[in-house]
Amino acid sequence: MENKELLELAIEAASNSYCSYSGFSVGAALLTEDGRIFTGCNVENSSFSLTICAERTAIFKAVSEGCRKFKAIAIVGGAEGNYSHPCCPCGACLQVMSEFCDDDFSIILTNGEFTLGEFLPMRFELN
């Protein structure tokens, strides 16, 4: 699957976003090593700490379906359907990614492809 296709699926997922407080919708499309795709969107809550990001939604959906090996994730975000600016994953999402992915896991944004290692060079690990 090409990066462009994953970004398009992330945009489609963002259309399901529940962002009535911030007006900032986010969508993610997660590609598993076996070729399956899981999408997610952000879901806000009036108690802001209970909000969930699109990236974690996609990962948790995949894990709940028995998938634990991932190849790439595409992420888009913006207000009023404008996804032209890159939307970087937050620290919580990066840490969740690091639970299941190596440093070379691909993170695809509207401005290019990056690795988890670039975003999170010193991940937390319970040793």
Side-chain angles (χ1 to χ4, degrees):
M1 168 147 304
E2 292 187 28
N3 291 357
K4 183 179 178 183
E5 292 173 287
L6 270 181
L7 284 168
E8 288 171 2
L9 290 170
I11 290 170
E12 187 177 314
S15 69
N16 293 323
S17 174
Y18 179 74
C19 57
S20 58
Y21 301 99
S22 72
F24 193 88
S25 60
V26 182
L30 177 68
L31 175 63
T32 66
E33 284 190 358
D34 64 4
R36 289 190 280 171
I37 297 170
F38 292 87
T39 59
C41 64
N42 60 321
V43 180
E44 295 181 346
N45 186 280
S46 61
S47 175
F48 289 110
S49 65
L50 300 178
T51 295
I52 184 98
C53 299
E55 301 93 309
R56 284 182 281 152
T57 299
I59 292 168
F60 295 162
K61 280 173 64 176
V63 170
S64 73
E65 295 294 322
C67 251
R68 289 175 176 73
K69 294 186 179 186
F70 309 120
K71 190 173 181 179
I73 191 166
I75 306 162
V76 299
E80 299 176 8
N82 180 359
Y83 304 116
S84 60
H85 297 287
C87 181
C88 296
C90 72
C93 288
L94 290 169
Q95 183 60 43
V96 168
M97 288 176 202
S98 78
E99 183 72 20
F100 300 99
C101 307
D102 294 328
D103 285 341
D104 61 349
F105 175 71
S106 294
I107 299 172
I108 303 159
L109 306 178
T110 56
N111 66 336
E113 184 174 356
F114 305 89
T115 65
L116 178 59
E118 290 175 300
F119 275 105
L120 191 66
M122 296 179 67
R123 66 180 73 195
F124 172 80
E125 294 179 299
L126 191 59
N127 292 336

